Amino acid sequence: MKIIKNIDILRNTINEYGENKAIGFVPTMGFLHEGHLSLIEKASSENDITVVSIFVNPTQFGPGEDFETYPRDLDRDARLAEGAGADILFFPDAREIYPIGASTFVEVEGAITKKLCGSSRPAHFKGVTTVVNTLFNIVSPHKAYFGQKDAQQLAVIKKMVRDLHMQVTIVACPIVRETDGLALSSRNVGLNPEERKQALILSQALNRARNLWKTGETDVKILKAVISDGINTMPLADIDYVDILDFNTLEAIKKIEAPALAAVAVRFGDTRLIDNIILE
Ligand code: AMP
């Protein structure tokens, strides 16, 4: 596996593989775990060349968020990425991605970026779509792999690709969880042992709502209350949002009549966790 920091070298290296090679791309912010590795393994099984990027993107962090403290470990990441089948690890610095004076952004407007994480992180998705668009321009992938863990990000990126007729297939990958149900996240290392224990409530509360929905309850208000009440039993949990929305558009719904997304964001101390399930 080659580790490359420079855009021209990356493009030349990809070209050296020859023409008509299928390029799979997995963008990440690093500190890799089994969730990331599942994306890399899938990309590697479906493409000739698998490019993984590690870039903690400053423009998707708001003031006071965890950009500075976001966990980083390139050596470990390189070992894991290679083991999962990556051919190229693209590890640019911010100056490489955002040249001096850069002032161009890609923004998906509307409810899809205003709800859920968009309401407490107003500039977040503009940063995400700008950097993903930039990375797509650099790597020119045929397929790009994203986790359902970041369900809103996935929906926003799919919309950007559709709206702008971008020539890339977005592949959605299921959430990888710890054996006890906690969704894997690079941010989980920020949890102290008691927070880690209480954080289990995210998947448990979502599952409780799913079980109720399976018995025939479709009222979103009731299902949301089940989730919130469950999370609020944990004294260290501070809810950012609990919502159930149309799965494809992220529009508000009153009853579940088509696939729906139940999504939560909860703070434990300085660590903000997200999780979701699809009700379909
Ligand atoms: P991040 O490094 O957090 O930006 O994540 C990079 C990619 O990995 C995104 O597409 C995430 O949705 C995906 N990802 C993160 N955690 C998981 C997980 N637990 N299961 C599956 N995919 C994940």
Side-chain angles (χ1 to χ4, degrees):
M1 186 187 71
K2 296 193 172 82
I3 301 178
I4 298 173
K5 292 179 76 79
N6 172 277
I7 293 169
D8 290 335
I9 296 176
L10 176 74
R11 286 182 168 143
N12 288 337
T13 305
I14 291 173
N15 286 339
E16 279 166 13
Y17 280 84
E19 282 175 19
N20 300 322
K21 297 289 185 200
I23 303 169
F25 178 44
V26 182
T28 82
M29 297 205 299
F31 212 68
L32 303 182
H33 52 63
E34 288 295 331
H36 298 112
L37 302 184
S38 72
L39 273 53
I40 300 171
E41 281 160 11
K42 188 160 173 63
S44 160
S45 73
E46 294 182 352
N47 298 278
D48 300 312
I49 312 168
T50 298
V51 181
V52 175
S53 66
I54 294 182
F55 182 60
V56 184
N57 173 35
T59 65
Q60 70 188 66
F61 289 80
E65 291 186 355
D66 57 349
F67 173 69
E68 300 294 344
T69 56
Y70 196 85
R72 294 160 166 91
D73 188 342
L74 179 64
D75 290 344
R76 179 174 162 277
D77 284 351
R79 252 192 344 266
L80 291 171
E82 184 166 28
D87 299 298
I88 298 173
L89 187 63
F90 181 45
F91 179 63
D93 59 29
R95 207 30 91 228
E96 190 71 6
I97 297 296
Y98 298 111
I100 291 171
S103 61
T104 305
F105 293 88
V106 176
E107 186 166 16
V108 176
E109 295 190 341
I112 196 164
T113 50
K114 300 285 172 286
K115 304 234 165 98
L116 304 177
C117 292
S119 60
S120 56
R121 307 184 75 191
H124 173 67
F125 288 111
K126 183 175 169 186
V128 169
T129 43
T130 298
V131 80
V132 169
N133 185 71
T134 303
L135 290 167
F136 283 178
N137 285 337
I138 294 168
V139 176
S140 302
H142 298 91
K143 291 183 177 181
Y145 297 77
F146 292 87
Q148 187 60 46
K149 159 86 178 358
D150 297 87
Q152 188 176 17
Q153 168 175 282
L154 181 56
V156 169
I157 286 168
K158 277 185 180 163
K159 187 162 195 311
M160 172 182 79
V161 165
R162 204 169 51 238
D163 288 356
L164 298 181
H165 307 280
M166 298 169 78
Q167 272 202 315
V168 56
T169 301
I170 302 301
V171 181
C173 303
I175 300 178
V176 177
R177 298 178 179 279
E178 302 276 10
T179 44
D180 64 5
L182 181 70
L184 292 183
S185 165
S186 306
R187 290 190 166 99
N188 290 351
V189 291
L191 299 169
N192 68 33
E194 185 52 34
E195 290 167 344
R196 168 68 183 78
K197 218 163 54 192
Q198 295 193 19
L200 253 194
I201 194 64
L202 269 66
S203 58
Q204 288 173 346
L206 287 166
N207 277 327
R208 238 173 263 171
R210 174 160 46 199
N211 291 340
L212 189 59
W213 167 74
K214 276 186 176 162
T215 66
E217 182 58 75
T218 59
D219 189 314
V220 163
K221 230 185 194 168
I222 293 173
L223 294 167
K224 273 166 66 170
V226 165
I227 301 171
S228 303
D229 292 349
I231 294 172
N232 283 330
T233 60
M234 293 299 157
L236 299 178
D238 176 15
I239 293 179
D240 181 356
Y241 63 74
V242 169
D243 216 340
I244 299 178
L245 302 166
D246 179 85
F247 174 65
N248 291 308
T249 62
L250 301 191
E251 297 286 353
I253 50 172
K254 289 202 163 98
K255 287 213 166 294
I256 300 182
E257 286 158 343
L261 179 78
V264 301
V266 181
R267 287 195 168 76
F268 290 88
D270 293 335
T271 307
R272 183 176 175 279
L273 301 181
I274 56 172
D275 199 352
N276 68 81
I277 49 168
I278 304 167
L279 304 173
E280 64 177 340

